[in-house]
Amino acid sequence: MKHLIIALTVLLCSTLPVSAQEVYKEVLRLSEKTVANRELSVEVRKVAQFKVDALEYMLRKTRELMPDSNVTVLDYQAFALYDYVNLYTQQLAKNSKKKERQRIMQLFQQCSLQNARFFDTDREITMAYVNSMQHITRFSLDTDWVAALSEVRQQLYSPQKK
């Protein structure tokens, strides 16, 4: 359902004159709502908290390093982040074997680490989730989510994959 809402928002952004950062704002709103929902599991809320933290980091760094950039860039990055994390959790959920789950975790983490967006030298912040054993979203906050999503899809769905 959330995916449908995001997709519709992207569609509206491409066909109607809407204010900037609509997709970004919607992904942030949905993630914050999930974090606040105490009826959901702790793991689901932790994943949503990662999205919130990644979105806030992305906005702060974009304003700091690229103040003149087109704000639709944030929308594309937010949508890719949303897809990346959801694809990751879907892949984990459909694989029950420990070895396969480890492979998926490593693949997604590597794609995140290899696709830096801001090349931030503050490793304490950017690597906070990578270095945390308490989260399943062990990704760098400094990620180009569009590039990472493209790479992870290519590796997951390439013809060589068995």
Side-chain angles (χ1 to χ4, degrees), residues 100 103 156 158-162:
E100 185 60 16
R103 186 190 73 77
L156 282 173
S158 67
Q160 298 90 358
K161 184 179 181 313
K162 291 184 179 183

Side-chain angles (χ1 to χ4, degrees), residues 19-135:
S19 65
Q21 299 177 6
E22 288 299 314
V23 174
Y24 174 91
K25 289 177 183 176
E26 183 63 9
V27 172
L28 182 60
R29 184 189 70 75
L30 290 171
S31 299
E32 288 174 334
K33 183 178 176 183
T34 300
V35 169
N37 186 346
R38 301 289 180 211
E39 294 178 9
L40 297 173
S41 73
V42 171
E43 284 304 314
V44 169
R45 289 185 287 139
K46 282 183 179 182
V47 170
Q49 185 62 57
F50 171 79
K51 290 178 188 177
V52 170
D53 291 345
L55 290 165
E56 289 174 350
Y57 171 85
M58 181 191 320
L59 179 62
R60 183 173 48 83
K61 292 306 279 187
T62 299
R63 286 181 176 164
E64 178 184 316
L65 299 174
M66 304 173 201
D68 297 331
S69 71
N70 186 336
V71 291
T72 58
V73 169
L74 282 172
D75 284 340
Y76 288 117
Q77 287 293 322
F79 188 69
L81 165 67
Y82 180 86
D83 269 358
Y84 191 87
V85 174
N86 288 345
L87 179 60
Y88 172 69
T89 57
Q90 288 169 1
Q91 290 293 313
L92 287 178
K94 79 178 192 179
N95 289 288
S96 59
K97 293 182 181 175
K98 186 175 181 176
K99 187 176 179 181
E100 185 60 16
R101 289 175 61 87
Q102 279 300 117
R103 186 190 73 77
I104 290 165
M105 290 173 145
Q106 286 181 319
L107 171 64
F108 278 80
Q109 185 180 54
Q110 282 304 108
C111 288
S112 168
L113 293 170
Q114 293 172 355
N115 289 285
R117 178 157 173 73
F118 303 106
F119 300 93
D120 192 342
T121 57
D122 187 348
R123 308 290 280 171
E124 187 176 339
I125 290 175
T126 62
M127 302 295 279
Y129 280 88
V130 173
N131 297 328
S132 171
M133 295 303 286
Q134 298 176 2
H135 293 86

